[in-house]
Amino acid sequence: MASKSASLPTFPRKELLVLELLAEHGPMFGLELVRVSRGHLKRGTVYVTLGRLADKSWVDSEQEPQHPAAIGLPRRVYRITSQGLRVLEAVALVRKTLAWGTR
Amino acid sequence: MSANRPGGRLLAILSHVTTSDTLERIVVPVIADLVVEMADARGRGAVRRVWVFLRGHVALARALVMHSVTPPYRQACGERSHISSVTLGCALIFTAMLVAAPLRGWHEVIGEERIALAIALLLPQALGAAIPLSVLFGVALGTARCRRSRSPNIAATPLGIGAVAMVVTLMMAWWVIPAANHTFRIQVGNAVAERASRADVAVLMPAKGLNEMSGKELSAAISLARWQDPSRVSTMVFTRHVRTSLAVACLVLAAAGLAVARLAGRHLCARGALALMVTVGYYALFLVGRRWVTTSDVSPALAAWTANGVLLVLSVAALAFSLSRQAPPASSSTTER
């Protein structure tokens, strides 16, 4: 346990990627996230990652307005929250600091 | 939600086996994406549609498995539905794999217009193997990180799942799979005849093999073979026993899954690797039994039940060893998270 607490905090790669994509492209559906990630996010896992981010309040979502004649189920649009943006900035700062430290 | 809407039926089925949280977060979005992708694939050919269909269902199964091993889900729904969900997810994955594998080679033979029917006819056979396997992997992986996974009480849920799977597999092995196999052979025969422009061949009914006979037909064939061709009787009796032993394997594999869970600890990879070894070992024992029947005078019943017997003995021994090694808890705090 001691070694774990002494190590640097880790940030799941996929969660970071989702935050970066939402910050870059704006609100998106889950399937759009899969498409713009160029294979880094999978259909089967993107909603699990989005769920974890929603638990942390870094992402929120709302149901798309659906036309009464539309077929299929309503989809959810996901967007990064202000807290998520701050986390992204903090991660960028940590990365920059670590990169400076290793020079 | 109406079942007539695209994806509505799948949603209705899953709403009975998942929590409302899982439904809202995982099931509805993935099915909504599947419906959108199916609509996009319309007009792009049957192969494309089948590919999108299979990919969407594998994605759903994967999402359910991934979601079910996350802590909030486990806290929300408890271990019983957790193990059931993992088993269900494994069943979906194995079924998709077992259906997709033969289709890759056959879609050119049977033609694009028959692919949907071929999938429907391959499903029972795939489920016959996927259900026992999913019990093993579902129990082995589903009990990971469960607080009570080292308690004897944990056995109730896997054995309950094994019992339900046994009944379903028994019905599949005796009634559904033979009928589906026979229909599949007719469809393939017709497709090949049509390709060869042989309309006269298309009306021929292929003779039923052992795997296409119902229970009653198999018994009648065994009685007939005792008089006409005694050398085939052993193989036929072996086939009859295998149908029941395959179903009972669900219970045996549930016990094996528990043994795997106890031996491998909390590591999912170790559990998966051990479960894979159990699968290979079980299949090897089954092949040995089948070889005995054709090359020696060993009883067909013994040959068919050897794999179950050996695996059951090993599983009970492993569980007993694990229980004897487990130290009594010193305090109320648990060793597992």
Side-chain angles (χ1 to χ4, degrees), chain A residues 14 29-31 35 42-48 50-52 54-55 66-68 70-76 78, chain B residues 1 5-7 11 24-26 28-33 35-37 39-40 42 55 59 62-63 66-67 70 72:
Chain A
K14 288 196 174 169
F29 295 119
L31 194 59
R35 284 174 182 158
K42 307 287 182 197
R43 285 167 178 74
T45 53
V46 68
Y47 291 107
V48 180
L50 284 165
R52 286 177 192 160
D55 285 340
Q66 208 179 23
H67 192 271
I71 59 162
L73 305 171
R75 295 197 288 172
R76 295 193 85 79
Y78 296 87
Chain B
M1 185 64 61
R5 269 179 121 165
L11 182 64
E24 188 187 335
R25 281 188 178 199
I26 305 293
V28 171
V30 176
I31 294 179
D33 286 348
V35 172
V36 168
E37 289 199 294
D40 288 346
R42 200 170 292 155
R55 189 179 61 183
R62 195 173 168 190
M66 291 293 293
H67 179 63
T70 57

Side-chain angles (χ1 to χ4, degrees), chain B:
Chain B
M1 185 64 61
S2 166
N4 294 327
R5 269 179 121 165
R9 187 164 297 156
L10 184 57
L11 182 64
I13 293 168
L14 289 174
S15 65
H16 293 293
V17 291
T18 57
T19 61
S20 56
D21 175 60
T22 310
L23 208 64
E24 188 187 335
R25 281 188 178 199
I26 305 293
V27 177
V28 171
V30 176
I31 294 179
D33 286 348
L34 175 61
V35 172
V36 168
E37 289 199 294
M38 286 296 285
D40 288 346
R42 200 170 292 155
R44 291 194 190 176
V47 174
R48 174 76 188 165
R49 282 204 307 277
V50 169
W51 166 242
V52 169
F53 177 85
L54 288 176
R55 189 179 61 183
H57 283 77
V58 168
L60 178 60
R62 195 173 168 190
L64 284 173
V65 171
M66 291 293 293
H67 179 63
S68 63
V69 296
T70 57
Y73 178 85
R74 287 203 307 275
Q75 288 160 12
C77 69
E79 78 189 29
R80 183 175 296 175
S81 57
H82 171 65
I83 299 170
S84 306
S85 301
V86 176
T87 306
L88 190 69
C90 290
L92 283 168
I93 291 171
F94 288 133
T95 306
M97 284 166 63
L98 290 169
V99 169
L103 270 185
R104 281 184 65 192
W106 287 353
H107 78 270
E108 288 177 4
V109 178
I110 58 179
E112 288 190 358
E113 66 280 2
R114 281 195 171 91
I115 280 199
L117 181 63
I119 289 175
L121 294 174
L122 282 170
L123 268 178
Q125 201 173 38
L127 280 169
I131 292 173
L133 276 180
S134 61
V135 170
L136 170 65
F137 279 85
V139 171
L141 301 178
T143 50
R145 300 179 194 174
C146 244
R147 282 178 187 273
R148 292 198 291 136
S149 65
R150 287 182 186 275
S151 151
N153 295 336
I154 193 75
T157 305
L159 293 180
I161 291 171
V164 172
M166 182 180 74
V167 173
V168 174
T169 310
L170 201 64
M171 288 163 62
M172 301 283 295
W174 280 101
W175 291 285
V176 183
I177 294 175
N181 280 352
H182 187 55
T183 314
F184 185 78
R185 285 178 69 183
I186 293 171
Q187 291 297 324
V188 171
N190 285 349
V192 172
E194 277 175 23
R195 288 280 168 110
S197 304
R198 291 278 306 276
D200 55 326
V201 178
V203 296
L204 290 178
M205 187 73 77
K208 285 187 176 181
L210 293 180
N211 293 329
E212 286 78 40
M213 291 179 185
S214 66
K216 202 179 278 183
E217 288 168 338
L218 191 57
S219 298
I222 290 170
S223 303
L224 196 65
R226 287 190 202 281
W227 295 98
Q228 290 183 341
D229 189 3
S231 64
R232 289 188 64 214
V233 171
S234 291
T235 312
M236 295 167 98
V237 174
F238 175 76
T239 303
R240 190 168 61 179
H241 278 287
V242 161
R243 289 186 185 181
T244 311
S245 70
L246 183 70
V248 175
C250 293
L251 266 179
V252 177
L253 288 169
L258 275 172
V260 165
R262 282 185 168 273
L263 291 177
R266 284 193 294 153
H267 305 288
L268 274 178
C269 288
R271 287 179 178 221
L274 256 181
L276 195 63
M277 284 168 65
V278 170
T279 307
V280 172
Y282 185 88
Y283 188 60
L285 285 169
F286 170 77
L287 291 181
V288 167
R290 198 167 68 176
R291 192 173 167 78
W292 279 349
V293 172
T294 51
T295 57
S296 67
D297 292 333
V298 171
S299 155
L302 179 68
W305 289 90
T306 296
N308 280 352
V310 171
L311 189 59
L312 185 64
V313 169
L314 288 177
S315 302
V316 170
L319 282 169
F321 171 72
S322 167
L323 282 170
S324 67
R325 213 178 47 167
Q326 183 182 344
S331 66
S332 59
S333 64
T334 54
T335 53
E336 286 188 73
R337 194 174 65 82

